[in-house]
Amino acid sequence: MNDAGPWDNTARRRKVMIPLAKPLVRILPNVKLPISSYLDWKAIIDTNEESHALERQLVVEGYLHDPDFDKWYSLSTIMSLISTPPPNSLAELNTPTMFLLSLKGPTPSYIRSLYNRLPPILKKRVEVDGSVYWMLSHPIDAAQIIAEWFSISLMPNSVPV
């Protein structure tokens, strides 16, 4: 919530909402909140001319009009997303792990920090100059990165990075 970018307004809203939501979830756990109250789908569309039109079409004309796209979550669901601890410590991770980091996404410095705290396993971080929708607007590039990772990570005797 401390990175700057097009999601600043929603980050500020979350900083106000979370302390209020903690006591409220005990009283009204099933109250539904619109996802847009804490995540602005349109604000995180890439501003690059190359990607903007496609991402805008996918988000605004696609997701936001899709009757099967969840637009509301219960308060207990939202609080669970941000407060449930992982099942094991990060140090116990032994699965090959790749981070595809969108530099225009909402938390690049947090994701870098998380990556740096991974144990000495086979790992890779790929930074892309795009939004959280980068994989949708660049599917061929994304497929190549992921396919290359699978070919490396599935090799016998892969060496940690």
Side-chain angles (χ1 to χ4, degrees):
M1 292 195 307
N2 295 321
D3 286 327
W7 48 85
D8 281 347
N9 289 334
T10 51
R12 278 193 288 278
R13 277 186 278 182
R14 284 192 301 271
K15 285 180 182 180
V16 170
M17 289 174 65
I18 290 171
L20 297 173
K22 286 180 180 179
L24 190 59
V25 74
R26 292 185 197 110
I27 303 165
L28 299 166
N30 294 322
V31 69
K32 299 274 187 175
L33 294 176
I35 296 171
S36 59
S37 66
Y38 60 90
L39 178 61
D40 185 347
W41 298 103
K42 296 175 188 175
I44 55 179
I45 294 172
D46 198 340
T47 55
N48 281 350
E49 194 174 320
E50 170 193 341
S51 306
H52 185 79
L54 176 58
E55 290 184 12
R56 187 179 189 308
Q57 179 183 6
L58 289 167
V59 173
V60 176
E61 297 167 25
Y63 299 150
L64 299 179
H65 286 99
D66 184 342
D68 294 323
F69 185 70
D70 288 333
K71 295 179 183 76
W72 296 76
Y73 285 156
S74 69
L75 183 57
S76 62
T77 300
I78 295 165
M79 294 308 291
S80 176
L81 287 171
I82 62 171
S83 63
T84 301
N88 299 311
S89 74
L90 192 59
E92 294 178 58
L93 181 69
N94 59 15
T95 304
T97 303
M98 180 179 75
F99 284 20
L100 188 55
L101 171 59
S102 55
L103 296 175
K104 295 177 186 170
T107 58
S109 62
Y110 169 76
I111 293 170
R112 281 188 193 106
S113 170
L114 182 62
Y115 177 86
N116 291 336
R117 293 188 320 234
L118 290 174
I121 58 170
L122 181 64
K123 62 184 181 177
K124 181 177 184 177
R125 183 179 75 213
V126 178
E127 296 187 358
V128 296
D129 184 23
S131 77
V132 296
Y133 306 116
W134 180 85
M135 291 177 70
L136 298 174
S137 59
H138 297 81
I140 294 171
D141 295 331
Q144 288 173 337
I145 291 168
I146 294 166
E148 178 184 305
W149 171 249
F150 278 129
S151 69
I152 293 169
S153 66
L154 297 176
M155 287 177 150
N157 303 319
S158 295
V159 179
V161 176

